[in-house]
Amino acid sequence: MSDLFDDPTPSDRPGQNAPEFTVSEISGEVKRTLEGTFGRIRVKGEVGRVFKARSGHLYYDIKDDRSVLACTTWKGQIASLSVVPEEGLEVVVTGRLTAFGGQSKYNMNVDEVAVAGQGALMALLEKRKKQLEAEGLFAPERKKPLPYLPQIIGVVTSPSGAVIRDILHRLRDRFPRKVLVWPVAVQGANCAPEVARAIEGFNQLTPGGAMPRPDLIIVARGGGSIEDLWGFNEEIVARAVANSQIPLISAVGHETDTTLIDFVSDRRAPTPTAAAELAVPVRLELLGWTENQGARLVRSAGQAVQQRRQRLNDLARALPKPDTLLETPRQRLDRVSERLPDALIRGVERRRLRLSEAAAALRPSTLRQLVTARQDRLRNLSSRLTLRPILQDLTRQYDRIGQLTQRLETVQTQRLDRHRQRLEATGRQLEILSYKATLDRGYAVVHSDDGVITRAAEAAIRPRLRIEFADAEIDVTPAQAAAGDGAISPAKTPGAPKPEGSKAGKRQSDKAPPDDQGSLF
């Protein structure tokens, strides 16, 4: 065996007759050397990724801060284990080292597992979680509500993985939206700073700019071991999520994976696909709901209109008829119309009387007498005073009184003219409204004891009528008026002249000739 790995002699160098080994031979020799050298060993470390195959075999990693050792427990050995390996558990495993030539890897076949204590990574994670929780980063009241229908969705993930395809496919099925992808490393040393910069970069975008600011952010990654997901447990990522002004959904790992970003984010999704479902509603369901609400609104509006129409009809039946409401105002209008001419005349007379009284009290002669009396009194007072300032003051007052007197006479004259013009205008209006002017144009008014007659049928049943002309009145009876021999009487107005050249006068002169004059016939 030692000859196989010794330095080649000059005769065995390339180009010489060196022995040749197949790949399987080399793999077998390595396996035998590894198993013979170490034999059965015990290894202490923290359990990393745990995976149980469909065949029943259990695959997991044992690691420390620098190295990782792959371990395998076959299906028949699992039942004899006292402790089943779990991720983050610090254990001591016992077994044999072996090699797998098919992939040029070595691993450890473990047949016994014992708990050694809490894993270093899990202890660090728990310490960091308590620190952030004490600062209030996990408080429910600081979590922002998600927009119901975001216009733009920002996704922080790897552009080459299956996660972004799952998110885009789910968004397209539910409600297509615009998506901005910020590519980052989702594991390794660059994961945490790139994810933090992506969240801060989305928040620094200007709303409505050339690169629009998203309304919602999704941080997504597929499942993996705690080492693979450790970038999302870093404090820089947790604080970037806490400072984000945009609502954020964390979709890191599978449903059983938990990272610090899940506690700080506004909403946690068990998978990236579930994050897309939380981001947008189902378009068809929303359309159906909208149509249902529209139908309900139409029905409600129709019922409301019908109820109000019925209520209006009920109230309308309780209201009085329009004609009934107008009967009293019409009667009041008729009475006021009858009283209006007399009221106008009386009003003009009262104003004429007040104007006369005011004019008599404000005659210029009376004002002059009053001013003269005041001037005389002023002269008497001024003669009694010897002080020059008083005389000067009195002189000024005297001049002022003269000016006021002139102004008063002017104002009085103007006021009398205005009242005279208003009186004349009112008189003209009264003459226009009076029916006397109508009589001057050739019309007459027929009176009876009951009032004015406007119909021939009413005149026929009256025993006595009085006809008013512009200059006189005559009394007639309906029969005499028809026969043309009515008796003419002087007008009731005193001093009215008797009409000349009337037929009635001629007939009276024919019937009563003088006694001393004989008749020619």
Side-chain angles (χ1 to χ4, degrees):
M1 182 66 188
S2 60
D3 296 339
L4 179 63
F5 297 100
D6 291 340
D7 292 336
T9 60
S11 60
D12 295 333
R13 287 176 182 174
Q16 305 299 325
N17 295 325
E20 297 178 353
F21 298 92
T22 64
V23 176
S24 298
E25 290 175 349
I26 288 294
S27 298
E29 289 294 333
V30 170
K31 181 176 181 181
R32 285 190 295 271
T33 300
L34 189 62
E35 291 177 350
T37 302
F38 291 95
R40 186 174 178 83
I41 59 173
R42 300 178 71 222
V43 180
K44 180 180 179 180
E46 181 181 349
V47 180
R49 179 184 60 88
V50 179
F51 173 70
K52 188 173 184 180
R54 297 178 60 183
S55 61
H57 305 317
L58 187 63
Y59 300 94
Y60 51 96
D61 296 333
I62 300 296
K63 63 182 183 302
D64 56 13
D65 55 344
R66 291 190 301 270
S67 302
V68 177
L69 175 63
C71 298
T72 305
T73 300
W74 306 120
K75 179 179 180 182
Q77 297 173 329
I78 294 177
S80 61
L81 294 179
S82 58
V83 177
V84 178
E86 294 180 2
E87 187 173 356
L89 190 65
E90 189 172 1
V91 296
V92 176
V93 296
T94 305
R96 293 179 179 274
L97 281 179
T98 184
F100 180 55
Q103 294 182 354
S104 298
K105 292 182 179 181
Y106 74 95
N107 63 0
M108 181 176 181
N109 176 235
V110 176
D111 55 6
E112 184 178 352
V113 179
V115 177
Q118 190 178 23
L121 291 179
M122 296 302 295
L124 178 60
L125 177 61
E126 190 65 24
K127 179 181 177 181
R128 189 173 295 168
K129 179 180 177 183
K130 291 180 180 179
Q131 176 186 352
L132 297 179
E133 185 176 8
E135 295 180 10
L137 270 63
F138 301 166
E141 57 270 13
R142 65 176 306 278
K143 296 184 183 298
K144 297 174 286 295
L146 302 182
Y148 180 72
L149 187 59
Q151 296 295 327
I152 301 174
I153 300 175
V155 179
V156 179
T157 188
S158 173
S160 59
V163 171
I164 186 62
R165 293 195 295 271
D166 294 341
I167 292 176
L168 295 177
H169 178 72
R170 197 57 176 166
L171 290 176
R172 186 168 55 251
D173 290 344
R174 291 175 65 86
F175 207 120
R177 297 283 87 184
K178 294 181 180 179
V179 177
L180 294 178
V181 181
W182 195 300
V184 296
V186 293
Q187 69 182 44
N190 297 328
C191 174
E194 290 185 5
V195 171
R197 284 196 299 268
I199 296 174
E200 295 172 357
F202 274 137
N203 280 270
Q204 292 175 2
L205 293 177
T206 303
M211 180 66 68
R213 179 181 180 181
D215 304 316
L216 179 68
I217 298 177
I218 299 176
V219 180
R221 187 206 187 280
S225 63
I226 188 171
E227 291 84 6
D228 297 338
L229 304 178
W230 188 255
F232 299 93
N233 289 321
E234 295 292 344
E235 185 175 354
I236 185 175
V237 175
R239 295 193 181 277
V241 174
N243 296 329
S244 175
Q245 300 299 322
I246 304 174
L248 188 142
I249 300 177
S250 65
V252 177
H254 296 299
E255 188 171 359
T256 57
D257 298 325
T258 303
T259 56
L260 282 181
I261 192 175
D262 296 332
F263 298 98
V264 186
S265 62
D266 300 307
R267 193 73 175 270
R268 177 185 182 270
T271 60
T273 303
E277 295 177 355
L278 292 175
V280 296
V282 180
R283 185 173 183 271
L284 295 179
E285 294 179 358
L286 186 59
L287 289 175
W289 180 84
T290 304
E291 293 177 357
N292 185 26
Q293 295 298 318
R296 292 180 58 188
L297 180 61
V298 171
R299 289 196 301 270
S300 300
Q303 293 176 359
V305 170
Q306 184 63 28
Q307 292 175 358
R308 283 163 176 76
R309 183 182 291 111
Q310 183 63 35
R311 179 62 176 168
L312 182 61
N313 294 334
D314 297 339
L315 294 176
R317 286 194 294 268
L319 293 175
K321 296 181 179 180
D323 294 339
T324 305
L325 295 175
L326 296 176
E327 287 179 355
T328 302
R330 285 172 178 170
Q331 295 177 359
R332 190 183 303 113
L333 178 61
D334 294 339
R335 290 197 298 269
V336 172
S337 300
E338 293 176 357
R339 294 166 54 189
L340 179 60
D342 296 338
L344 290 174
I345 295 173
R346 289 195 297 270
V348 171
E349 292 177 351
R350 286 196 300 269
R351 286 169 175 77
R352 184 184 290 113
L353 179 59
R354 286 202 299 269
L355 180 60
S356 301
E357 294 175 353
L362 297 176
R363 290 174 182 173
S365 60
T366 305
L367 292 176
R368 291 192 187 94
Q369 293 174 2
L370 180 60
V371 172
T372 303
R374 296 294 176 87
Q375 290 176 351
D376 295 340
R377 183 181 178 187
L378 181 61
R379 292 191 189 96
N380 294 333
L381 293 175
S382 62
S383 62
R384 296 169 59 184
L385 297 175
T386 57
L387 298 177
R388 184 177 300 273
I390 298 177
L391 292 176
Q392 293 177 354
D393 184 59
L394 291 176
T395 302
R396 288 194 298 269
Q397 293 182 3
Y398 177 79
D399 295 338
R400 184 180 179 186
I401 291 175
Q403 295 174 1
L404 294 176
T405 301
Q406 294 177 0
R407 291 176 59 187
L408 181 61
E409 290 179 356
T410 303
V411 171
Q412 179 64 23
T413 302
Q414 295 176 355
R415 184 175 180 184
L416 290 175
D417 292 340
R418 287 197 301 270
H419 283 291
R420 186 180 296 107
Q421 292 174 1
R422 288 179 58 187
L423 181 61
E424 291 176 356
T426 305
R428 288 193 298 269
Q429 184 178 6
L430 180 61
E431 291 178 357
I432 292 173
L433 296 175
S434 176
Y435 70 95
K436 297 293 185 180
T438 306
L439 297 180
D440 290 337
R441 294 198 296 269
Y443 293 90
V445 180
V446 180
H447 299 274
S448 69
D449 296 338
D450 298 332
V452 178
I453 301 299
T454 60
R455 296 290 185 271
E458 296 180 359
I461 61 175
R462 296 295 190 274
R464 180 174 174 273
L465 300 175
R466 187 175 72 259
I467 302 176
E468 180 181 0
F469 296 94
D471 56 348
E473 296 181 358
I474 61 174
D475 294 332
V476 298
T477 60
Q480 292 174 344
D485 55 355
I488 300 176
S489 61
K492 294 184 179 180
T493 304
K498 184 181 296 184
E500 298 179 358
S502 64
K503 293 181 181 181
K506 291 181 180 181
R507 284 195 299 269
Q508 289 179 358
S509 62
D510 292 341
K511 291 181 181 180
D515 295 340
D516 57 352
Q517 181 69 35
S519 177
L520 297 177
F521 300 100

